[in-house]
Amino acid sequence: MFSGSIPALATPFRDGSFAEDQFRALVDWQIDQGSSALVPCGTTGEASTLSNAEHHRVIEVCVEQAAGRVPIIAGCGSNDTTNALLHLTFSKKCGAAAGLVVAPYYNRPNQEGITAHFTTLTESIDLPLVLYNVPARTVTDIQPETVAALSQLPGIVAIKDASGVLDRVTEYRLDCADDFVMLSGVDELSLAFNAAGGIGCISVTANVAPKLCAEFQAACAAGDYAKARELNDVLYPLHKSLFSDASPGPIKYALSRVLPDFSTDLRLPMTPPSEASRKAVDAALEGAGLI
């Protein structure tokens, strides 16, 4: 259902508020550069700092601006099942193609609780769900056997796996539903992830290097791993630099270097990246020919 380079979009702020004009321009640029779908209100979009009203407005603007050119996978995660359903209901109403739902954080449910969370959501709304597993942020880890069971539910179509455990890709391929889509959630592992059976990445780096990331994913899809490795070598320093300080500080800085009007404003508790981080981003952008 989804494949290729899918940026998890940064959310620009100006004077503390959502900078809608900058976001609309970012959406257009991403589509023009070859991104195959867009994710508003993910981790990179600082969803955890948005009010529900802001969260919904960002999704609505993304759907409006994309205007059917690419599908929108709306970030709908919450540690509260009821609130996640609220996000999903709004996203379906405004035309999103799917909802990206992170494993419940902070509460630390066991595998039974995780299964109940996702089962309740898929039984409550007719909108495809993409599981999002990122244990480094949530502490909760959706185990492969839980993913396999959830993949059998008709409403759960894919996973964004940011566990960093590459052998899980093979487990998913062997044990999940035949049409279950595996997407990497870690840019620097995407080459190996795709070789093991993945078909794309929900990406931080694609915010600032959408064309290169799209070309990389296209090479993987074509089985041209020589070209994919060449592109990965160009992108790898950028992948690493964008996590040289707390994300999304470095990616917002990178966007301001490539799109001069893009705001670097962050919401507390996030603060601007360090000088060392900015230098690493600059060097990686130069190396990739982006500045």
Side-chain angles (χ1 to χ4, degrees):
M1 186 173 183
F2 303 109
S3 63
S5 179
I6 305 171
L9 298 173
T11 304
F13 301 117
R14 185 190 299 113
D15 300 324
S17 298
F18 172 41
E20 186 175 311
D21 56 336
Q22 292 183 17
F23 189 68
R24 288 183 182 276
L26 179 63
V27 168
D28 284 340
W29 184 60
Q30 289 291 334
I31 295 170
D32 290 345
Q33 291 285 302
S35 298
S36 58
L38 302 174
V39 175
C41 295
T43 304
T44 309
E46 295 175 83
S48 58
T49 70
L50 299 174
S51 69
N52 277 358
E54 290 173 320
H55 192 127
H56 294 172
R57 181 57 181 162
V58 173
I59 293 170
E60 184 176 40
V61 169
C62 192
V63 172
E64 285 178 359
Q65 196 65 27
R69 290 176 287 171
V70 298
I72 305 304
I73 307 170
C76 294
S78 175
N79 66 323
D80 172 6
T81 305
T82 300
N83 204 52
L85 180 57
L86 178 72
H87 294 328
L88 288 165
T89 301
F90 179 85
S91 298
K92 177 177 172 60
K93 181 180 177 181
C94 73
L100 177 70
V101 183
V102 73
Y105 46 86
Y106 190 79
N107 306 44
R108 299 182 66 183
N110 57 21
Q111 295 303 300
E112 182 180 356
I114 292 169
T115 298
H117 176 75
F118 286 109
T119 301
T120 297
L121 294 176
T122 196
E123 289 177 347
S124 299
I125 189 164
D126 182 20
L127 182 70
L129 302 188
V130 178
L131 307 177
Y132 178 16
N133 193 33
V134 56
R137 289 186 179 271
T138 64
V139 181
T140 307
D141 185 4
I142 314 175
Q143 292 295 313
E145 56 269 24
T146 303
V147 174
L150 290 171
S151 76
Q152 305 301 322
L153 299 176
I156 296 181
V157 300
I159 187 168
K160 173 187 176 181
D161 189 295
S163 69
V165 185
L166 282 170
D167 60 1
R168 289 187 176 186
V169 188
T170 300
E171 292 187 61
Y172 300 153
R173 183 168 49 79
L174 294 175
D175 297 337
C176 290
D178 291 342
D179 56 353
F180 188 67
V181 171
M182 298 175 292
L183 302 170
S184 176
V186 182
D187 278 295
E188 61 266 29
L189 297 181
S190 290
L191 181 63
F193 193 100
N194 286 347
I199 59 170
C201 181
I202 296 181
S203 167
V204 174
T205 303
N207 273 278
V208 73
K211 188 172 187 291
L212 284 172
C213 288
E215 290 173 348
F216 165 77
Q217 290 294 338
C220 290
D224 187 351
Y225 277 93
K227 181 177 180 181
R229 282 192 297 271
E230 290 178 7
L231 290 164
N232 189 64
D233 288 349
V234 172
L235 287 164
Y236 186 79
L238 190 55
H239 297 330
K240 301 298 285 187
S241 74
L242 294 176
F243 285 88
S244 57
D245 209 333
S247 182
I251 189 60
K252 282 194 162 180
Y253 172 72
L255 278 164
S256 76
R257 298 285 282 122
V258 173
L259 304 174
D261 293 333
F262 198 90
S263 173
T264 60
D265 290 1
L266 299 156
R267 282 191 171 170
L268 289 172
M270 307 311 294
T271 55
S274 67
E275 181 181 357
S277 176
R278 296 194 303 272
K279 286 182 177 179
V281 170
D282 284 340
L285 290 172
E286 289 178 11
L290 298 173
I291 59 172

